Amino acid sequence: MFPILGFVTLLQILLPLLGPAEAFYLPGLAPVNFCKKGEGTPTCKSDVVLYVNRLNTEESIIPYEYHHFDFCLGKEENSPVENLGQVVFGERIRPGPYSITFLENQPCAVACTKEYKGGDAISNRLMMVLKKGISLNYQHHWIVDNMPVTWCYPLENGKQYCGTGFPMGCLVRPDGEGCPINSIYNQPMHYYPFNHVDLEMTYHSGQSEDWGIGFGNSGRIISVKVTPKSIKHTDPKNPNCLSTEPLAISENSLKPGEQLRIIYTYSVKFVKNDSIKWSSRWDYILESMPHTNIQWFSILNSLVIVLFLSGMVAMIMLRTLHKDIARYNQMDSGEDAQEEFGWKLVHGDVFRPPRKGMLLSIFLGSGVQVLVMAMVTLAFACLGFLSPANRGALMTCSMVLFVSLGTPAGYVSARIYKSFGGLKWKSNVILTSIVCPGVVFSLFFVMNLVLWGENSSGAVPFSTLIALLALWFGVSVPLTFVGAYFGFRKRALEHPVRTNQIPRQIPDQSIYTQPIPGIVMGGVLPFGCIFIQLFFILSSLWSNQMYYMFGFLFLVFLILVITCSETTILLCYFHLCAEDYHWWWRSFLTSGFTAVYLFIYCCHYFVTKLSIKDSASTFLYFGYTAIMVFLFFLLTGTIGFFACFWFIRKIYSVVKVD
């Protein structure tokens, strides 16, 4: 039952990503033609639908759905179906309450009216939720024609920044600070809800384009910009959207008999701009993002440093190894036998199976799973299939790939465990399919319980949890068994040298060749090549920044693989020269220790860049960080292990051993 359910669930996830058969555009990038009302056809729409998404803030990890704050609601039964990635990230896209028709300007229209009565428990609770959202600076995220509605404002350097979210209101603190949007919002300890929005929709006319011929007044939307305002309307039947009198709400609760009415209004203006093509409509958002130029120079600087260090390491290793191998082989061919020294001395112990070989093989199997998942996901992202326009596709692709890569995980784990001389093959395959995914799912489930308790939109529904379990036990576990079956059927790995029956005693080590200092030093260089990119990744996760430079990320990933490999090989060589042959776990932990530096950097980011104060958000931040750090530990540890494994097999296969 579970395998059938798992494959059905996998098909349900993949089919929406494929899109219609006749489409040739990348997912999420198909243009939509709009026409004036009365001229619409099946290929040319006149109604412009504005979708609202969940609200979030930099001051809390907990997102909330749009209706949580008692805003105007649209027809939620027409909501689009979210994919797996959107559900896991807490996105809840719903139709907005705004009626917009292409090329029809709206000077002032009422969306709805909300009334709150003093002494009423429901009104008091809703007003408290609204005030809390304003005080924590929760932000709207709207979507029109698969484009984020942007809020643009000038920066101190004179440039304009366009963000993909805008605040639901602002709170003036006792010192008068808190509402820089407009100087008239200046009453201390008063809330100013932004109950009015000016929408400016820019379109590219289709009159001179092939796709616009025959449609008359047609066009494609290239940007939607919003200007939020707080306006104190008095008459919902005759609103004045040009009024400059703001709606100020006191921090005190409404008194019994007191009534507050919030009238939500909007205006729409269409602007023609044929100088910007539809294919370039994302440029103004990406170009205005801060630190973009810094990222270019920082990555190039990191690349030059890492390539220089890699060249130095490679040159030292090749020259030293060449001399070692030539000297060892010359000694063996000479008439006067001399005593062995250096790394050749431990040839009878270097392939001795390590302690806790079962656990190491499990980590390596899951590490290969994560490594291949990361490489394929980044490759798809570089090709444009996982662009920001294709919402949730990045997470969906990663999860589907991780589930589908159970076979290489089982195969690698079985092969390594068999080379250790392990006999408990049933335990190996079961633990490989359960331990590491179980750790991730357990952490995720605990985080989900916290989100459930906070009534957050980030809480994954129970049905989605069942789907995730079906993918795990219905797809990933059987594939792991298949991989393990082929892995155990293969002959055990033959090592280039035999292992002695009696283990050799390891001499006293200097502080530099002891395990812990070597492991701690091993993670410095790999972390040094990723920490710049790490800042932008964390900003996209926690600070609502848009991440789109997947080409640079793929380049940094390749640098990480090279650096982890070379660092681990270099330290492993030093330890073997010091006659310490316990390299199995050390090679995994040396590069895997990069994850510890990742955790330290995440703590630094939490303290210096975020303003989180509540305990639930702190718990969620470090919970999700723990998942990220654990997967990164498996990824980097596996890279270091197999690089070291290849290196040791290579050097001991070219020296003559009696």
Side-chain angles (χ1 to χ4, degrees):
M1 179 63 185
F2 247 133
I4 296 174
L5 180 61
F7 280 112
V8 170
T9 306
L10 190 63
L11 286 174
Q12 289 174 340
I13 293 169
L14 289 175
L15 287 177
L17 294 178
L18 298 178
E22 69 273 7
F24 60 91
Y25 292 97
L26 293 176
L29 299 179
V32 178
N33 302 327
F34 290 94
C35 295
K36 200 170 183 179
K37 194 172 183 179
E39 301 177 8
T41 67
T43 59
C44 193
K45 302 178 181 179
S46 59
D47 292 330
V48 181
V49 182
L50 186 149
Y51 291 99
V52 297
N53 204 344
R54 51 95 173 96
L55 286 84
N56 57 11
T57 175
E58 292 186 24
E59 299 182 26
S60 177
I61 302 297
I62 304 170
Y64 288 105
E65 204 162 342
Y66 185 76
H67 60 68
H68 177 79
F69 296 101
D70 196 35
F71 294 130
C72 305
L73 300 179
K75 296 180 180 179
E76 295 199 357
E77 61 271 12
N78 297 329
S79 302
V81 179
E82 291 99 357
N83 57 41
L84 183 61
Q86 289 176 296
V87 174
V88 170
F89 268 125
E91 291 196 10
R92 302 292 183 268
I93 300 175
R94 305 285 182 260
Y98 307 102
S99 177
I100 304 172
T101 305
F102 188 67
L103 294 185
E104 288 189 8
N105 294 335
Q106 282 273 18
C108 190
V110 176
C112 74
T113 302
K114 295 289 182 179
E115 295 187 356
Y116 303 92
K117 299 177 181 178
D120 182 66
I122 297 178
S123 292
N124 288 338
R125 182 181 62 82
L126 292 174
M127 180 55 63
M128 225 169 79
V129 169
L130 183 67
K131 289 180 178 179
K132 183 181 178 182
I134 294 174
S135 65
L136 291 175
N137 195 31
Y138 270 86
Q139 299 209 340
H140 290 282
H141 296 278
W142 291 358
I143 305 164
V144 172
D145 189 29
N146 206 30
M147 271 283 290
V149 176
T150 55
W151 175 43
C152 300
Y153 55 89
L155 298 174
E156 293 179 356
N157 58 6
K159 295 184 178 180
Q160 189 181 55
Y161 172 69
C162 293
T164 57
F166 65 95
M168 56 183 284
C170 63
L171 167 65
V172 181
R173 296 192 293 268
D175 57 0
E177 298 293 330
C179 276
I181 296 176
N182 198 322
S183 59
I184 63 174
Y185 309 151
N186 53 20
Q187 281 187 267
M189 296 313 297
H190 276 70
Y191 297 86
Y192 291 89
F194 294 148
N195 59 327
H196 175 81
V197 289
D198 290 326
L199 295 170
E200 183 183 289
M201 297 195 172
T202 308
Y203 68 96
H204 181 93
S205 174
Q207 293 178 352
S208 58
E209 304 287 346
D210 294 339
W211 50 267
I213 295 176
F215 291 126
N217 293 319
S218 61
R220 290 176 176 175
I221 293 175
I222 54 177
S223 74
V224 181
K225 298 179 181 179
V226 62
T227 304
K229 296 179 181 178
S230 179
I231 299 178
K232 187 177 182 179
H233 297 290
T234 54
D235 185 5
K237 295 182 180 178
N238 187 25
N240 181 13
C241 296
L242 299 177
S243 172
T244 57
E245 184 181 0
L247 175 63
I249 302 175
S250 172
E251 64 170 336
N252 301 319
S253 302
L254 294 173
K255 298 177 181 178
E258 192 177 359
Q259 188 172 352
L260 174 67
R261 183 165 58 185
I262 301 178
I263 302 172
Y264 290 92
T265 57
Y266 65 99
S267 67
V268 182
K269 179 183 178 183
F270 284 89
V271 178
K272 181 180 176 181
N273 187 345
D274 287 344
S275 63
I276 301 176
K277 296 290 186 180
W278 180 90
S279 57
S280 305
R281 63 179 188 163
W282 284 81
D283 291 357
Y284 83 100
I285 302 176
L286 305 180
E287 289 172 359
S288 71
M289 290 180 63
H291 310 302
T292 304
N293 292 330
I294 296 174
Q295 187 173 5
W296 284 82
F297 290 115
S298 300
I299 292 175
L300 289 174
N301 182 51
S302 176
L303 179 63
V304 170
I305 293 173
V306 169
L307 289 177
F308 174 74
L309 290 174
S310 299
M312 292 292 292
V313 169
M315 185 176 66
I316 293 170
M317 293 297 297
L318 290 174
R319 290 187 62 183
T320 308
L321 272 176
H322 181 73
K323 289 181 180 179
D324 284 350
I325 292 169
R327 186 168 65 249
Y328 290 151
N329 290 337
Q330 187 178 10
M331 286 166 50
D332 289 338
S333 61
E335 296 180 358
D336 299 328
Q338 300 181 24
E339 185 180 356
E340 295 178 346
F341 62 93
W343 53 265
K344 186 182 178 184
L345 193 61
V346 295
H347 67 82
D349 299 276
V350 71
F351 290 107
R352 189 177 302 281
R355 297 176 181 177
K356 308 292 182 182
M358 173 76 82
L359 183 61
L360 180 59
S361 64
I362 292 168
F363 280 173
L364 291 171
S366 296
V368 168
Q369 200 172 1
V370 176
L371 176 62
V372 179
M373 176 200 74
M375 291 184 65
V376 176
T377 302
L378 286 175
F380 276 120
C382 290
L383 294 173
F385 288 100
L386 308 178
S387 69
N390 195 11
R391 304 174 190 281
L394 185 68
M395 188 67 177
T396 304
C397 179
S398 300
M399 297 179 75
V400 170
L401 280 172
F402 184 82
V403 167
S404 305
L405 291 168
T407 302
Y411 180 82
V412 170
S413 179
R415 290 279 282 163
I416 295 294
Y417 182 66
K418 191 173 183 179
S419 72
F420 293 159
L423 301 175
K424 300 179 181 178
W425 63 271
K426 293 180 181 178
S427 300
N428 175 262
V429 65
I430 292 173
L431 292 174
T432 301
S433 60
I434 289 178
V435 170
C436 294
V439 169
V440 174
F441 185 83
S442 299
L443 288 170
F444 178 76
F445 184 73
V446 172
M447 301 301 107
N448 206 53
L449 289 177
V450 176
L451 291 170
W452 267 339
E454 296 289 336
N455 196 25
S456 169
S457 69
V460 175
F462 183 74
S463 57
T464 306
L465 287 177
I466 296 298
L468 291 174
L469 287 173
L471 287 173
W472 181 10
F473 289 101
V475 179
S476 182
V477 172
L479 289 177
T480 307
F481 273 77
V482 171
Y485 170 77
F486 288 106
F488 279 113
R489 283 196 62 184
K490 296 272 287 186
R491 291 180 59 187
L493 292 170
E494 294 184 3
H495 300 307
V497 291
R498 293 190 302 271
T499 302
N500 297 334
Q501 293 184 355
I502 302 174
R504 179 184 179 85
Q505 186 175 359
I506 299 174
D508 293 335
Q509 301 292 309
S510 66
I511 189 171
Y512 302 106
T513 55
Q514 287 180 359
I516 294 179
I519 290 171
V520 172
M521 289 187 297
V524 174
L525 190 59
F527 178 76
C529 73
I530 65 164
F531 82 96
I532 298 170
Q533 198 68 233
L534 191 60
F535 169 78
F536 295 99
I537 294 173
L538 293 178
S539 297
S540 69
L541 288 174
W542 309 119
S543 300
N544 303 323
Q545 298 288 337
M546 189 176 294
Y547 191 88
Y548 63 98
M549 299 185 110
F550 292 107
F552 275 113
L553 184 60
F554 190 72
L555 179 63
V556 169
F557 179 76
L558 294 179
I559 295 173
L560 175 68
V561 172
I562 296 170
T563 312
C564 283
S565 303
E566 291 181 344
T567 305
T568 308
I569 288 173
L570 186 62
L571 291 173
C572 181
Y573 173 75
F574 290 153
H575 289 122
L576 290 177
C577 289
E579 301 178 21
D580 186 354
Y581 52 84
H582 293 312
W583 66 272
W584 298 95
W585 271 107
R586 186 179 294 160
S587 63
F588 186 88
L589 296 175
T590 297
S591 54
F593 201 80
T594 311
V596 176
Y597 292 108
L598 170 63
F599 178 76
I600 295 172
Y601 185 83
C602 289
C603 295
H604 166 75
Y605 185 87
F606 178 83
V607 173
T608 59
K609 302 297 181 182
L610 299 179
S611 305
I612 296 172
K613 296 177 182 177
D614 62 298
S615 57
S617 293
T618 303
F619 182 78
L620 288 169
Y621 177 86
F622 285 102
Y624 288 126
T625 298
I627 295 176
M628 185 168 59
V629 167
F630 178 68
L631 293 176
F632 193 71
F633 169 71
L634 295 176
L635 171 73
T636 52
T638 301
I639 294 170
F641 175 87
F642 282 108
C644 194
F645 188 53
W646 169 83
F647 169 75
I648 289 178
R649 287 177 62 87
K650 194 73 176 176
I651 63 173
Y652 281 99
S653 64
V654 294
V655 295
K656 299 176 182 178
V657 177
D658 294 334

